[in-house]
Amino acid sequence: MGKAEPESVGPSKKRKTCYAQKTPRRKSPTLGLNPHAPIGQSQETPQQIAAKRERAAMKVPIYMRLYMMRGALIFAPEKSIIRETFEKCIPTWIERKPRVQAHWSATLQTLEGHSDWVSSVAFSPDGKQVVSGSHDQTVRLWDTATGTALWTLNGHSCSINSVAFSPDGKQVVSTSRDHTVELWDVTTGAALQTLKGHSGWVKSVAFSPDSKQVVSGEE
């Protein structure tokens, strides 16, 4: 076989030149991208980022998710509904199970801070604070939502016997074995007054309904 030779162009033949018409380049749609994001940062909106993370989580095989949930059952209280319902789903290869309580605890907060017995406690009228008195000679104010200690009120020289909130929630009163009654400002934690006159341990105290007077009793 011979080689194919290019067609010769004679005087009677003209070479045709074809020009491809250029199609205008289409701009890709933004699909909700954030046009105001600085260069170098993600152009995705928070909704798109959240959706992407959700899709990534869903890629975890369902059997793996169920497997992890089954393993967590051993930490549920033994008499809880979820434990009794799915007891048979606990993996059999778990030989040594942790010791857990029988029922879910009803405890909301454990307020720690006193170094001795707590002798008296009272709620504020709105239920948002708690005042406690202790044998460590201090009065403490607590936030009931977070369990945070708001104030440590120092002023008594002996154990605290009784504490109370004023009806308007602005003051706290405390009594002590040091024969005194102390009035405290709830907002600042400052000592307002020291009421003296008792010759023995002051065992009980209460505010009047208008928060303007205090009554106390000694042993």
Side-chain angles (χ1 to χ4, degrees):
M1 295 180 64
K3 293 182 180 179
E5 296 293 333
E7 185 181 358
S8 59
V9 180
S12 60
K13 293 183 179 180
K14 293 183 180 179
R15 186 185 297 272
K16 292 182 179 180
T17 307
C18 298
Y19 296 94
Q21 186 177 2
K22 292 184 179 180
T23 350
R25 192 172 182 179
R26 296 177 64 188
K27 295 182 179 179
S28 58
T30 59
L31 298 176
L33 298 182
N34 183 4
H36 304 292
I39 297 175
Q41 292 188 8
S42 173
Q43 299 291 316
E44 295 176 309
T45 63
Q47 292 81 2
Q48 289 175 317
I49 295 173
K52 183 185 290 184
R53 290 178 179 174
E54 184 178 355
R55 288 193 298 269
M58 293 303 293
K59 289 181 181 179
V60 178
I62 185 67
Y63 72 89
M64 286 296 294
R65 281 179 273 164
L66 292 174
Y67 195 73
M68 291 185 286
M69 292 168 63
R70 288 171 58 195
L73 284 171
I74 61 174
F75 299 103
E78 294 178 350
K79 300 297 181 182
S80 63
I81 295 176
I82 189 170
R83 180 71 174 265
E84 291 183 340
T85 305
F86 299 101
E87 183 75 29
K88 295 180 180 179
C89 297
I90 295 177
T92 55
W93 55 265
I94 301 179
E95 297 180 358
R96 189 174 180 180
K97 298 176 183 177
R99 292 182 180 179
V100 293
Q101 55 196 8
H103 302 278
W104 293 110
S105 174
T107 303
L108 300 178
Q109 297 278 357
T110 300
L111 310 179
E112 298 181 350
H114 286 296
S115 58
D116 209 332
W117 298 349
V118 178
S119 52
S120 181
V121 66
F123 272 97
S124 61
D126 60 5
K128 294 181 179 180
Q129 294 180 339
V130 164
V131 59
S132 59
S134 169
H135 283 213
D136 65 6
Q137 304 177 16
T138 67
V139 176
R140 287 180 179 260
L141 278 171
W142 311 84
D143 185 295
T144 56
T146 63
T148 306
L150 302 175
W151 296 105
T152 299
L153 311 178
N154 295 288
H156 288 291
S157 59
C158 203
S159 303
I160 310 299
N161 286 331
S162 180
V163 293
F165 255 100
S166 61
D168 61 9
K170 296 180 179 180
Q171 297 178 60
V172 162
V173 63
S174 59
T175 67
S176 170
R177 294 184 181 182
D178 63 7
H179 308 174
T180 66
V181 176
E182 291 277 357
L183 282 170
W184 311 88
D185 186 285
V186 172
T187 305
T188 64
L192 300 176
Q193 290 191 51
T194 300
L195 310 178
K196 299 179 179 180
H198 287 290
S199 57
W201 295 355
V202 187
K203 299 290 290 184
S204 182
V205 69
F207 272 97
S208 62
D210 60 4
S211 303
K212 293 182 179 180
Q213 294 181 327
V214 166
V215 59
S216 58
E218 70 176 66
E219 190 174 55

